[in-house]
Amino acid sequence: YYLTKEYQRASLLLFGAVEPRENDTNPVEQRPDYADALFYLADSLHMLGNRAAAQGYFEKLLTLRGHGHHEQAILRLMETGDELKRWDDVDRYFKMYLEVAGDAVPGQVRYLRGKSLFLAGKDDAAIESLRQVPATDAWALRSRYLIGAAYLRLDRMADALTMFEQVAFAKPIAKIDKQVKEMGHLARGRLLYEADRLTESIDAYQNIDYDSPLLTTMLYEVTWTYVRRGQLALRGSKGDNLTELMRRERAKVEYEKALDQLDDLRALDPDG
C-alpha cells in the first residue's frame, strides 16, 4: 500500500505492526521488522500531512540502533522543523542523529542542517555546516550557493561574490547543478550591478541560456543594468571633456539596449 501511495490504508495496517497488543509477551521493539514498519508508518503519516504523529515515530527511529533508516528519519524531521519554523526542534533532532551517525554524515544531511541554520538566521553556524559538504558531493554546489547567500546577509560582499563565482564556474555533478550554476550567474550579475561594475554584470547575465526558466528574470534585470549605464553616461564624470549633447547620445545608446531587452521580455512573457 505504501509503494502504491495508498498512505491511508498503509498507515492503518502499519499502526498495528508498531503498537503493542494486549497478548504481546515481548516488547514490540524486538519484532524483526519493527524499524521498517516504523519508518513506513511515519512516512505514510508524513505524506498524509499528519506531521505531528509522523514526528513522534521518526523520533523513535532516531533512537533505535541497527537499522538503515536514520538518514531518512533526520531528513524528514529537519524538513518538518523548517516548514514549521521550529528551529530548536531541528537542533535537538540533529544532536540525536549525530549520536548514531558519528562523523559519517552524508552531504544531503549536512546541506539541510546548514539550510535550517540559515533559515533560523544563524549565518556563521550555517556556513560552518555547509563547508563540511565535500566538493565532490552531489550537494556541494547547493551548499556553496547557500554559503554565498549567508555571506551576503553578513554584508561580506567580496566573499559572497567569490563564492557565487565558484558556483557559477564549477563542474556540475548533480542534475540540478545546471540551474544552481545559473542562479550563481544571476547572483554575480546582481552583486556586480550593486558595485557599478556594469559591463561585468551584463557579461554575468549572458551566461543564462535561452531555454532556461531564469531567462525572463535575466532579461528584466539586465534591462536595469543598461538603464544604470545610461544614467551614468548622462551624468558623465569629471574631466571627461564631453558636452551635454555627447552625454545624451551615449545615454541614448544604453537606453535603446534596455528597450531591446524589454521587447524580448514582452515577446517571451507578455503577461509577466
Side-chain angles (χ1 to χ4, degrees):
Y1 285 135
Y2 174 87
L3 294 175
T4 57
K5 301 182 180 180
E6 297 180 65
Y7 300 118
Q8 187 69 48
R9 301 177 80 175
S11 61
L12 290 172
L13 288 171
L14 290 161
F15 185 80
V18 303
E19 294 296 335
R21 295 184 285 262
E22 290 184 5
N23 59 349
D24 283 343
T25 56
N26 296 316
V28 289
E29 290 81 4
Q30 293 182 8
R31 295 175 187 166
D33 294 326
Y34 176 74
D36 290 337
L38 199 59
F39 168 73
Y40 289 118
L41 173 59
D43 213 46
S44 294
L45 292 168
H46 179 89
M47 299 304 291
L48 288 168
N50 191 344
R51 298 289 199 264
Q55 276 182 289
Y57 289 116
F58 279 129
E59 280 195 61
K60 281 187 179 181
L61 271 174
L62 280 186
T63 60
L64 284 179
R65 304 281 175 157
H67 65 83
H69 298 294
H70 291 113
E71 181 180 342
Q72 294 159 304
I74 187 60
L75 290 174
R76 285 299 199 201
L77 286 168
M78 288 196 295
E79 176 187 339
T80 300
D82 289 347
E83 287 177 1
L84 301 177
K85 299 182 180 180
R86 293 168 60 173
W87 317 122
D88 290 342
D89 283 350
V90 176
D91 292 343
R92 179 168 58 85
Y93 297 145
F94 190 69
K95 186 176 180 180
M96 292 167 61
Y97 173 75
L98 288 180
E99 291 177 1
V100 177
D103 294 329
V105 179
Q108 185 180 7
V109 176
R110 291 285 186 197
Y111 168 77
L112 287 180
R113 174 58 176 160
K115 181 182 176 182
S116 292
L117 292 165
F118 176 81
L119 292 173
K122 301 176 181 178
D123 294 317
D124 289 319
I127 291 168
E128 182 181 351
S129 178
L130 293 162
R131 281 196 177 282
Q132 295 180 62
V133 179
T136 55
D137 192 275
W139 293 83
L141 247 59
R142 279 166 279 189
S143 298
R144 303 301 182 265
Y145 181 86
L146 207 52
I147 290 172
Y151 279 145
L152 199 56
R153 201 158 59 184
L154 290 168
D155 205 26
R156 295 170 58 179
M157 299 300 181
D159 290 329
L161 183 57
T162 298
M163 190 56 62
F164 288 135
E165 285 174 346
Q166 288 182 19
V167 170
F169 296 108
K171 183 179 179 180
I173 299 173
K175 186 176 181 180
I176 198 176
D177 283 352
K178 182 178 185 294
Q179 183 178 346
V180 178
K181 283 166 60 65
E182 289 190 333
M183 289 168 60
H185 285 300
L186 276 181
R188 290 176 58 237
R190 291 165 181 164
L191 284 175
L192 291 165
Y193 172 91
E194 293 295 333
D196 274 341
R197 294 163 60 181
L198 301 177
T199 299
E200 294 173 83
S201 175
I202 291 169
D203 288 344
Y205 282 122
Q206 299 310 310
N207 288 282
I208 307 300
D209 291 335
Y210 267 76
D211 61 350
S212 170
L214 299 174
L215 176 62
T216 54
T217 300
M218 179 274 281
L219 289 173
Y220 181 77
E221 293 185 14
V222 82
T223 296
W224 285 107
T225 309
Y226 283 123
V227 170
R228 178 64 177 159
R229 287 215 309 194
Q231 291 171 336
L232 294 178
L234 196 60
R235 182 189 304 169
S237 58
K238 187 176 181 181
D240 61 11
N241 297 319
L242 297 177
T243 66
E244 182 69 18
L245 180 60
M246 293 168 68
R247 289 174 179 171
R248 284 182 176 275
E249 287 298 320
R250 289 193 172 192
K252 183 181 177 182
V253 171
E254 302 300 335
Y255 291 145
E256 286 176 345
K257 291 177 182 177
L259 285 170
D260 287 341
Q261 300 299 310
L262 289 175
D263 282 338
D264 290 344
L265 182 56
R266 182 173 57 180
L268 287 166
D269 189 15
D271 299 319

mmCIF file of all heavy atoms in Angstrom, residues 137-167:
data_model
loop_
_atom_site.group_PDB
_atom_site.id
_atom_site.type_symbol
_atom_site.label_atom_id
_atom_site.label_comp_id
_atom_site.label_asym_id
_atom_site.label_seq_id
_atom_site.Cartn_x
_atom_site.Cartn_y
_atom_site.Cartn_z
ATOM 1 N N ASP A 137 30.701 16.068 -3.604
ATOM 2 C CA ASP A 137 29.376 15.568 -3.226
ATOM 3 C C ASP A 137 28.307 16.164 -4.150
ATOM 4 O O ASP A 137 28.444 17.294 -4.644
ATOM 5 C CB ASP A 137 29.081 15.941 -1.771
ATOM 6 C CG ASP A 137 27.857 15.218 -1.221
ATOM 7 O OD1 ASP A 137 26.721 15.703 -1.429
ATOM 8 O OD2 ASP A 137 28.039 14.162 -0.595
ATOM 9 N N ALA A 138 27.229 15.416 -4.357
ATOM 10 C CA ALA A 138 26.133 15.888 -5.216
ATOM 11 C C ALA A 138 25.448 17.130 -4.661
ATOM 12 O O ALA A 138 24.765 17.848 -5.403
ATOM 13 C CB ALA A 138 25.106 14.775 -5.410
ATOM 14 N N TRP A 139 25.631 17.399 -3.363
ATOM 15 C CA TRP A 139 25.008 18.567 -2.737
ATOM 16 C C TRP A 139 25.982 19.731 -2.585
ATOM 17 O O TRP A 139 25.662 20.741 -1.963
ATOM 18 C CB TRP A 139 24.430 18.181 -1.369
ATOM 19 C CG TRP A 139 23.286 17.229 -1.509
ATOM 20 C CD1 TRP A 139 23.363 15.872 -1.667
ATOM 21 C CD2 TRP A 139 21.899 17.557 -1.559
ATOM 22 N NE1 TRP A 139 22.101 15.334 -1.805
ATOM 23 C CE2 TRP A 139 21.176 16.344 -1.737
ATOM 24 C CE3 TRP A 139 21.183 18.747 -1.460
ATOM 25 C CZ2 TRP A 139 19.788 16.305 -1.822
ATOM 26 C CZ3 TRP A 139 19.797 18.710 -1.540
ATOM 27 C CH2 TRP A 139 19.118 17.503 -1.727
ATOM 28 N N ALA A 140 27.170 19.606 -3.176
ATOM 29 C CA ALA A 140 28.219 20.609 -2.974
ATOM 30 C C ALA A 140 27.838 21.979 -3.526
ATOM 31 O O ALA A 140 27.982 23.002 -2.845
ATOM 32 C CB ALA A 140 29.529 20.133 -3.602
ATOM 33 N N LEU A 141 27.345 22.026 -4.762
ATOM 34 C CA LEU A 141 27.046 23.323 -5.376
ATOM 35 C C LEU A 141 25.917 24.041 -4.651
ATOM 36 O O LEU A 141 25.962 25.261 -4.457
ATOM 37 C CB LEU A 141 26.709 23.146 -6.858
ATOM 38 C CG LEU A 141 27.735 23.768 -7.822
ATOM 39 C CD1 LEU A 141 29.113 23.160 -7.592
ATOM 40 C CD2 LEU A 141 27.301 23.607 -9.265
ATOM 41 N N ARG A 142 24.897 23.288 -4.251
ATOM 42 C CA ARG A 142 23.803 23.903 -3.496
ATOM 43 C C ARG A 142 24.313 24.449 -2.170
ATOM 44 O O ARG A 142 23.871 25.518 -1.710
ATOM 45 C CB ARG A 142 22.684 22.888 -3.274
ATOM 46 C CG ARG A 142 21.761 22.726 -4.474
ATOM 47 C CD ARG A 142 20.890 21.502 -4.387
ATOM 48 N NE ARG A 142 21.614 20.302 -4.791
ATOM 49 C CZ ARG A 142 21.036 19.115 -4.966
ATOM 50 N NH1 ARG A 142 19.730 18.983 -4.758
ATOM 51 N NH2 ARG A 142 21.738 18.060 -5.343
ATOM 52 N N SER A 143 25.250 23.733 -1.564
ATOM 53 C CA SER A 143 25.828 24.201 -0.305
ATOM 54 C C SER A 143 26.632 25.476 -0.513
ATOM 55 O O SER A 143 26.518 26.429 0.272
ATOM 56 C CB SER A 143 26.725 23.111 0.292
ATOM 57 O OG SER A 143 25.980 21.948 0.587
ATOM 58 N N ARG A 144 27.433 25.514 -1.580
ATOM 59 C CA ARG A 144 28.246 26.701 -1.845
ATOM 60 C C ARG A 144 27.363 27.912 -2.154
ATOM 61 O O ARG A 144 27.676 29.036 -1.759
ATOM 62 C CB ARG A 144 29.204 26.446 -3.022
ATOM 63 C CG ARG A 144 30.150 25.248 -2.852
ATOM 64 C CD ARG A 144 31.054 25.347 -1.623
ATOM 65 N NE ARG A 144 31.957 24.224 -1.514
ATOM 66 C CZ ARG A 144 31.739 23.130 -0.785
ATOM 67 N NH1 ARG A 144 30.615 23.015 -0.096
ATOM 68 N NH2 ARG A 144 32.638 22.159 -0.728
ATOM 69 N N TYR A 145 26.277 27.679 -2.865
ATOM 70 C CA TYR A 145 25.365 28.785 -3.172
ATOM 71 C C TYR A 145 24.774 29.360 -1.885
ATOM 72 O O TYR A 145 24.692 30.585 -1.710
ATOM 73 C CB TYR A 145 24.233 28.317 -4.090
ATOM 74 C CG TYR A 145 23.280 29.425 -4.460
ATOM 75 C CD1 TYR A 145 23.538 30.264 -5.538
ATOM 76 C CD2 TYR A 145 22.137 29.670 -3.708
ATOM 77 C CE1 TYR A 145 22.682 31.307 -5.867
ATOM 78 C CE2 TYR A 145 21.275 30.714 -4.020
ATOM 79 C CZ TYR A 145 21.549 31.523 -5.099
ATOM 80 O OH TYR A 145 20.705 32.561 -5.406
ATOM 81 N N LEU A 146 24.392 28.478 -0.966
ATOM 82 C CA LEU A 146 23.804 28.945 0.292
ATOM 83 C C LEU A 146 24.848 29.644 1.161
ATOM 84 O O LEU A 146 24.529 30.598 1.883
ATOM 85 C CB LEU A 146 23.192 27.758 1.042
ATOM 86 C CG LEU A 146 22.030 28.057 1.993
ATOM 87 C CD1 LEU A 146 20.947 28.862 1.301
ATOM 88 C CD2 LEU A 146 21.450 26.765 2.550
ATOM 89 N N ILE A 147 26.104 29.214 1.082
ATOM 90 C CA ILE A 147 27.187 29.929 1.776
ATOM 91 C C ILE A 147 27.283 31.354 1.237
ATOM 92 O O ILE A 147 27.423 32.313 2.001
ATOM 93 C CB ILE A 147 28.531 29.187 1.601
ATOM 94 C CG1 ILE A 147 28.531 27.873 2.386
ATOM 95 C CG2 ILE A 147 29.696 30.067 2.060
ATOM 96 C CD1 ILE A 147 29.745 26.994 2.123
ATOM 97 N N GLY A 148 27.196 31.501 -0.093
ATOM 98 C CA GLY A 148 27.216 32.834 -0.689
ATOM 99 C C GLY A 148 26.077 33.702 -0.174
ATOM 100 O O GLY A 148 26.270 34.885 0.131
ATOM 101 N N ALA A 149 24.890 33.105 -0.055
ATOM 102 C CA ALA A 149 23.737 33.850 0.462
ATOM 103 C C ALA A 149 23.953 34.265 1.915
ATOM 104 O O ALA A 149 23.564 35.367 2.328
ATOM 105 C CB ALA A 149 22.477 33.006 0.333
ATOM 106 N N ALA A 150 24.580 33.383 2.702
ATOM 107 C CA ALA A 150 24.872 33.713 4.105
ATOM 108 C C ALA A 150 25.891 34.851 4.185
ATOM 109 O O ALA A 150 25.747 35.771 5.002
ATOM 110 C CB ALA A 150 25.383 32.479 4.841
ATOM 111 N N TYR A 151 26.929 34.787 3.353
ATOM 112 C CA TYR A 151 27.905 35.887 3.304
ATOM 113 C C TYR A 151 27.210 37.206 2.956
ATOM 114 O O TYR A 151 27.529 38.260 3.518
ATOM 115 C CB TYR A 151 28.976 35.596 2.256
ATOM 116 C CG TYR A 151 30.082 34.665 2.699
ATOM 117 C CD1 TYR A 151 30.666 33.768 1.805
ATOM 118 C CD2 TYR A 151 30.569 34.698 4.007
ATOM 119 C CE1 TYR A 151 31.694 32.919 2.193
ATOM 120 C CE2 TYR A 151 31.588 33.854 4.406
ATOM 121 C CZ TYR A 151 32.148 32.969 3.503
ATOM 122 O OH TYR A 151 33.158 32.143 3.890
ATOM 123 N N LEU A 152 26.284 37.142 2.031
ATOM 124 C CA LEU A 152 25.560 38.337 1.597
ATOM 125 C C LEU A 152 24.804 38.956 2.764
ATOM 126 O O LEU A 152 24.822 40.170 2.961
ATOM 127 C CB LEU A 152 24.600 37.962 0.476
ATOM 128 C CG LEU A 152 24.071 39.072 -0.425
ATOM 129 C CD1 LEU A 152 25.205 39.846 -1.065
ATOM 130 C CD2 LEU A 152 23.159 38.477 -1.489
ATOM 131 N N ARG A 153 24.160 38.105 3.557
ATOM 132 C CA ARG A 153 23.394 38.614 4.694
ATOM 133 C C ARG A 153 24.312 39.148 5.792
ATOM 134 O O ARG A 153 23.905 40.021 6.571
ATOM 135 C CB ARG A 153 22.476 37.511 5.237
ATOM 136 C CG ARG A 153 21.318 38.050 6.050
ATOM 137 C CD ARG A 153 20.184 37.087 6.112
ATOM 138 N NE ARG A 153 20.547 35.803 6.700
ATOM 139 C CZ ARG A 153 19.701 34.781 6.786
ATOM 140 N NH1 ARG A 153 18.481 34.900 6.301
ATOM 141 N NH2 ARG A 153 20.081 33.636 7.318
ATOM 142 N N LEU A 154 25.525 38.626 5.845
ATOM 143 C CA LEU A 154 26.515 39.124 6.802
ATOM 144 C C LEU A 154 27.226 40.379 6.293
ATOM 145 O O LEU A 154 28.136 40.882 6.942
ATOM 146 C CB LEU A 154 27.550 38.032 7.101
ATOM 147 C CG LEU A 154 27.055 36.834 7.912
ATOM 148 C CD1 LEU A 154 28.087 35.705 7.879
ATOM 149 C CD2 LEU A 154 26.757 37.236 9.356
ATOM 150 N N ASP A 155 26.819 40.845 5.111
ATOM 151 C CA ASP A 155 27.396 42.040 4.475
ATOM 152 C C ASP A 155 28.857 41.826 4.085
ATOM 153 O O ASP A 155 29.634 42.779 4.008
ATOM 154 C CB ASP A 155 27.258 43.266 5.397
ATOM 155 C CG ASP A 155 27.267 44.571 4.612
ATOM 156 O OD1 ASP A 155 26.880 44.554 3.425
ATOM 157 O OD2 ASP A 155 27.685 45.602 5.168
ATOM 158 N N ARG A 156 29.220 40.578 3.824
ATOM 159 C CA ARG A 156 30.558 40.256 3.350
ATOM 160 C C ARG A 156 30.490 40.103 1.822
ATOM 161 O O ARG A 156 30.520 39.003 1.275
ATOM 162 C CB ARG A 156 31.074 38.985 4.021
ATOM 163 C CG ARG A 156 31.271 39.154 5.514
ATOM 164 C CD ARG A 156 31.550 37.847 6.244
ATOM 165 N NE ARG A 156 32.718 37.157 5.751
ATOM 166 C CZ ARG A 156 33.172 35.998 6.254
ATOM 167 N NH1 ARG A 156 32.538 35.454 7.286
ATOM 168 N NH2 ARG A 156 34.233 35.408 5.745
ATOM 169 N N MET A 157 30.363 41.240 1.133
ATOM 170 C CA MET A 157 30.071 41.250 -0.293
ATOM 171 C C MET A 157 31.163 40.576 -1.123
ATOM 172 O O MET A 157 30.876 39.834 -2.064
ATOM 173 C CB MET A 157 29.847 42.681 -0.777
ATOM 174 C CG MET A 157 28.680 43.384 -0.105
ATOM 175 S SD MET A 157 27.120 42.508 -0.377
ATOM 176 C CE MET A 157 25.982 43.583 0.496
ATOM 177 N N ALA A 158 32.417 40.858 -0.792
ATOM 178 C CA ALA A 158 33.521 40.287 -1.568
ATOM 179 C C ALA A 158 33.538 38.760 -1.435
ATOM 180 O O ALA A 158 33.727 38.039 -2.430
ATOM 181 C CB ALA A 158 34.848 40.874 -1.104
ATOM 182 N N ASP A 159 33.328 38.261 -0.215
ATOM 183 C CA ASP A 159 33.284 36.810 -0.002
ATOM 184 C C ASP A 159 32.094 36.194 -0.734
ATOM 185 O O ASP A 159 32.196 35.092 -1.298
ATOM 186 C CB ASP A 159 33.199 36.494 1.490
ATOM 187 C CG ASP A 159 34.488 36.811 2.233
ATOM 188 O OD1 ASP A 159 35.560 36.703 1.608
ATOM 189 O OD2 ASP A 159 34.420 37.171 3.420
ATOM 190 N N ALA A 160 30.961 36.884 -0.713
ATOM 191 C CA ALA A 160 29.767 36.390 -1.405
ATOM 192 C C ALA A 160 30.026 36.282 -2.902
ATOM 193 O O ALA A 160 29.706 35.268 -3.536
ATOM 194 C CB ALA A 160 28.578 37.300 -1.129
ATOM 195 N N LEU A 161 30.638 37.318 -3.472
ATOM 196 C CA LEU A 161 30.916 37.311 -4.906
ATOM 197 C C LEU A 161 31.880 36.182 -5.271
ATOM 198 O O LEU A 161 31.681 35.479 -6.275
ATOM 199 C CB LEU A 161 31.494 38.663 -5.334
ATOM 200 C CG LEU A 161 31.780 38.832 -6.824
ATOM 201 C CD1 LEU A 161 30.544 38.595 -7.669
ATOM 202 C CD2 LEU A 161 32.365 40.218 -7.099
ATOM 203 N N THR A 162 32.902 35.983 -4.456
ATOM 204 C CA THR A 162 33.852 34.889 -4.689
ATOM 205 C C THR A 162 33.146 33.541 -4.675
ATOM 206 O O THR A 162 33.394 32.678 -5.531
ATOM 207 C CB THR A 162 34.968 34.907 -3.629
ATOM 208 O OG1 THR A 162 35.696 36.127 -3.733
ATOM 209 C CG2 THR A 162 35.916 33.736 -3.819
ATOM 210 N N MET A 163 32.236 33.343 -3.706
ATOM 211 C CA MET A 163 31.534 32.069 -3.591
ATOM 212 C C MET A 163 30.596 31.851 -4.773
ATOM 213 O O MET A 163 30.530 30.751 -5.335
ATOM 214 C CB MET A 163 30.755 32.022 -2.275
ATOM 215 C CG MET A 163 30.180 30.657 -1.949
ATOM 216 S SD MET A 163 31.414 29.321 -1.898
ATOM 217 C CE MET A 163 32.468 29.885 -0.539
ATOM 218 N N PHE A 164 29.887 32.896 -5.184
ATOM 219 C CA PHE A 164 28.986 32.762 -6.327
ATOM 220 C C PHE A 164 29.763 32.498 -7.616
ATOM 221 O O PHE A 164 29.281 31.786 -8.506
ATOM 222 C CB PHE A 164 28.115 34.008 -6.474
ATOM 223 C CG PHE A 164 27.056 34.135 -5.415
ATOM 224 C CD1 PHE A 164 26.838 35.353 -4.777
ATOM 225 C CD2 PHE A 164 26.283 33.048 -5.040
ATOM 226 C CE1 PHE A 164 25.862 35.481 -3.802
ATOM 227 C CE2 PHE A 164 25.300 33.160 -4.062
ATOM 228 C CZ PHE A 164 25.092 34.378 -3.437
ATOM 229 N N GLU A 165 30.961 33.052 -7.724
ATOM 230 C CA GLU A 165 31.806 32.769 -8.884
ATOM 231 C C GLU A 165 32.229 31.304 -8.901
ATOM 232 O O GLU A 165 32.259 30.662 -9.957
ATOM 233 C CB GLU A 165 33.033 33.681 -8.888
ATOM 234 C CG GLU A 165 32.710 35.120 -9.300
ATOM 235 C CD GLU A 165 33.900 36.052 -9.165
ATOM 236 O OE1 GLU A 165 34.896 35.647 -8.510
ATOM 237 O OE2 GLU A 165 33.829 37.174 -9.694
ATOM 238 N N GLN A 166 32.560 30.761 -7.724
ATOM 239 C CA GLN A 166 32.904 29.346 -7.637
ATOM 240 C C GLN A 166 31.746 28.474 -8.091
ATOM 241 O O GLN A 166 31.931 27.492 -8.815
ATOM 242 C CB GLN A 166 33.294 28.994 -6.199
ATOM 243 C CG GLN A 166 34.634 29.545 -5.748
ATOM 244 C CD GLN A 166 34.982 29.131 -4.327
ATOM 245 O OE1 GLN A 166 34.418 28.175 -3.793
ATOM 246 N NE2 GLN A 166 35.897 29.849 -3.705
ATOM 247 N N VAL A 167 30.542 28.835 -7.656
ATOM 248 C CA VAL A 167 29.349 28.079 -8.040
ATOM 249 C C VAL A 167 29.119 28.188 -9.551
ATOM 250 O O VAL A 167 28.880 27.185 -10.237
ATOM 251 C CB VAL A 167 28.108 28.598 -7.275
ATOM 252 C CG1 VAL A 167 26.828 27.985 -7.838
ATOM 253 C CG2 VAL A 167 28.227 28.297 -5.787
#
